[in-house]
Structure formats: structure tokens, C-alpha cells
């Protein structure tokens, strides 16, 4: 019955999509157009995505798998950094849709992909906090949104143990060498983390300056081991490394 209703709905949507995209949005404000490409596909959306974008995201996830961080590249106090996607194309669109269009549904494909990230014996998820100003503007902290969704799905507790101190300039507006300085002492831990193995959750991992500060605060609060789960990892050169495309196909098969 539900399937039949879905079928009728998707046909109606496809027909309406040809008539008028705007009318469609008025009639079905959510879950009609793909979160990434904004098309209204004939098929049903999967987590708000059309089939083509689901496949593109799978390919991006496979690319990211071969892009593991070497131990030497990790920020101080951080044992591992795992990201679900490289920060580009559809993955970048999803993060931007979540943050700047404030569409929480864009978090779903992100945290679903993060569920596949390898974790060990970690006990608690801690979201990277945002500034009070940003929280007020956006209405939510996207890192906390991801952490709670992951926590629910993995049956892991989430502790919003970190808070920002003061209002720093947006990291994205600063050159790499100034990012660390801008953030120094910007976070504190509001409770004891004594002996805990923690996964820090963030939306985008860029230079590691933000999670480095978060890890320092957690370490001061007694955390034993700290790793990072990010939805996406920015590319070092902002471009598209050749080796990823070469390896994408082979690793795709290993994902199971
Ligand atoms: Zn799409």
C-alpha cells in the first residue's frame, strides 16, 4: 500500500516537475528535489538524494578511503582522523546546504556515511562546539547534530563537553598559518573526561587547528585517547589529487 502510494506520488512529482518546478516546491516543500542537484527525479529520493547523487557520493567516499592521514600529519593529542568524504562536489554541497541553507535533512547522508568510519574501543562522542554567535545565527551546531545522529545509530553516548570561549574570527577567512593562533585557548571542557576514549565529531576537517584545540581541552580534562570523525576532509591543495581517482575503483570493492 505504502509502495503504491509512493509510486503514485513519484509519478505525480515527475509530471509536476515538467510543469513547474516552483509549483512543485510549493506543493511538496521537502523531500522532492535532490539535496545536491536540486532535480526532481522520477525515482524516489534516498535520504533526500537522487540516484545519480547517491552514486556520486559513494564514489567520493571510496576516494576518501585511500586518503588516510599519515601519523606524522596528525595534530598533537590526536590519535586518528577519519573523514567520510573529501570536501568537494556533492559532499561539499551537502555540508554547505546543512550549514548555510540550514537544512538539517542534508545531515542524513553525511552521518550515514560516517557510520562506516572505522572505530575501536572509543566510549563517547564529543561534538566540536561552535561560537555562541554562530549558534544564534544558525540555530544549531551542525557538529552536534551529526554527533547525536551517530550516537543514536551506534548506541554511543554523546557529551557536549566542550564550549567555546570568546568569539574568534571565522577560520575560513584566515590564512593557514594564522588559524592556529586565532584559536589558541578558544575551547574549554565543562566536565571531567578522566580516562575516557573520545571521538571528536566535526563537519569539515581542514587544517586540524580547531580539533587540535578541542583535543587540548579534552586532554586537560583527563581524556586518555582522542580521535576525530569528520563528515568531510578538505583537500590540501583545494584541487583533485590524481591518485584518488586511480585507486577509487579498487577500494570501492573492498567496502562490502
Ligand atoms: Zn541529485
Amino acid at each position: 500500500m505504502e509502495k503504491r502510494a509512493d509510486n503514485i506520488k513519484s509519478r505525480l512529482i515527475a509530471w509536476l516537475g515538467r510543469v513547474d518546478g516552483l509549483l512543485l516546491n510549493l506543493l511538496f516543500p521537502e523531500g522532492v528535489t535532490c539535496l545536491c542537484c536540486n532535480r526532481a527525479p522520477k525515482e524516489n529520493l534516498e535520504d533526500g538524494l537522487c540516484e545519480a547523487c547517491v552514486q556520486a557520493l559513494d564514489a567520493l567516499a571510496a576516494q576518501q578511503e585511500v586518503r588516510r592521514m599519515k601519523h606524522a600529519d596528525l595534530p598533537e593529542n590526536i590519535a586518528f582522523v577519519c573523514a567520510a568524504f573529501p570536501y568537494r562536489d556533492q559532499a561539499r554541497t551537502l555540508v554547505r546546504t546543512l550549514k548555510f541553507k540550514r537544512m538539517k535533512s542534508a545531515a542524513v547522508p553525511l552521518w550515514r556515511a560516517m557510520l562506516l568510519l572505522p572505530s575501536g574501543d572509543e566510549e563517547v562522542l564529543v561534538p566540536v562546539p561552535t561560537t555562541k554567535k554562530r549558534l544564534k545565527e544558525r540555530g544549531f551546531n551542525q557538529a552536534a547534530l551529526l554527533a547525536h545522529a551517530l550516537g543514536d545509530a551506534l548506541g554511543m553516548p554523546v557529551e557536549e563537553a566542550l564550549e567555546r570561549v570568546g568569539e574568534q574570527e571565522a577560520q575560513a577567512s584566515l590564512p593557514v598559518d594564522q588559524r592556529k593562533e586565532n584559536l589558541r585557548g578558544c575551547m574549554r571542557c565543562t566536565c571531567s573526561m578522566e580516562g575516557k576514549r573520545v571521538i571528536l565529531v566535526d563537519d569539515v576537517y581542514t587544517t586540524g587547528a580547531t580539533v587540535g584545540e578541542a583535543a587540548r581541552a579534552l586532554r586537560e580534562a583527563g581524556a586518555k585517547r582522542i580521535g576525530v570523525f569528520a563528515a568531510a576532509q578538505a583537500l590540501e591543495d583545494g584541487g583533485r589529487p590524481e591518485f584518488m581517482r586511480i585507486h577509487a575503483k579498487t577500494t570501492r570493492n573492498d567496502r562490502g
Side-chain angles (χ1 to χ4, degrees), residues 25-41:
N25 274 330
L26 286 171
L27 283 171
F28 302 103
E30 263 190 56
V32 173
T33 57
C34 171
L35 285 164
C36 280
C37 67
N38 289 321
R39 285 185 315 114

Side-chain angles (χ1 to χ4, degrees), residues 57-134:
L57 279 165
D58 275 355
L60 284 174
Q63 287 177 9
Q64 182 62 26
E65 273 201 0
V66 296
R67 210 174 144 235
R68 288 270 156 77
M69 288 192 77
K70 289 189 284 292
H71 191 72
D73 297 333
L74 294 169
E76 211 183 324
N77 293 323
I78 290 183
F80 62 87
V81 173
C82 292
F85 300 109
Y87 187 52
R88 50 175 288 222
D89 303 336
Q90 288 82 359
R92 185 170 178 272
T93 305
L94 280 178
V95 172
R96 293 182 63 85
T97 303
L98 172 64
K99 282 164 81 165
F100 303 119
K101 291 188 187 169
R102 299 178 214 172
M103 285 173 70
K104 291 184 185 175
S105 50
V108 180
L110 297 174
W111 68 256
R112 278 209 205 281
M114 290 168 83
L115 283 178
L116 302 173
L117 297 175
S119 63
D121 54 0
E122 280 73 25
E123 302 157 298
V124 60
L125 297 162
V126 175
V128 171
T130 188
T131 62
K132 289 184 185 79
K133 186 177 163 225
R134 195 106 22 94

